[in-house]
Amino acid sequence: MATTNINVRVDSALKQEAEALFGDLGLNMSSAINMFLRSAINHNGIPFEVKRPTPNAETRAALDEYEEMKKNPDKYKRYESFDEIVDEVFADA
């Protein structure tokens, strides 16, 4: 079977983590990439789900609150400085 080279640029930390993982699995980088490519061919696409991350309910609520605050800034308390915020937090503690 003839082979060919593929050059891929990746973050050096990502490469090190991947090499450590594959080493623990008894694989080298070439074997792992070959497994991925074969799996992609067998699946006729990417062999795992690829989608945008969906925020959980708590994050979604925080984002909605942020949008509300942007639309109606007059409904929310404003501070002149960070120290003013800290003073209020400690006063309530």
Side-chain angles (χ1 to χ4, degrees), residues 4-5 8-9 11 16 20 25 31 38-39 43 47-48 51-52 59 64 66 68 71 82-85:
T4 188
N5 290 328
V8 179
R9 294 191 179 277
D11 178 78
Q16 288 177 349
L25 297 172
S31 296
R38 289 184 190 284
S39 183
H43 282 85
F48 48 83
K51 65 179 187 175
R52 291 180 179 163
T59 302
D64 290 345
Y66 167 72
E68 168 62 23
K71 289 179 188 170
F82 181 73
D83 288 338
E84 187 180 345
I85 297 168

Side-chain angles (χ1 to χ4, degrees), residues 67-83:
E67 291 300 327
E68 168 62 23
M69 292 172 85
K70 281 192 343 185
K71 289 179 188 170
N72 301 297
D74 52 308
K75 292 171 112 178
Y76 301 92
K77 185 171 182 177
R78 309 286 272 180
Y79 296 92
E80 296 295 321
S81 69
F82 181 73
D83 288 338

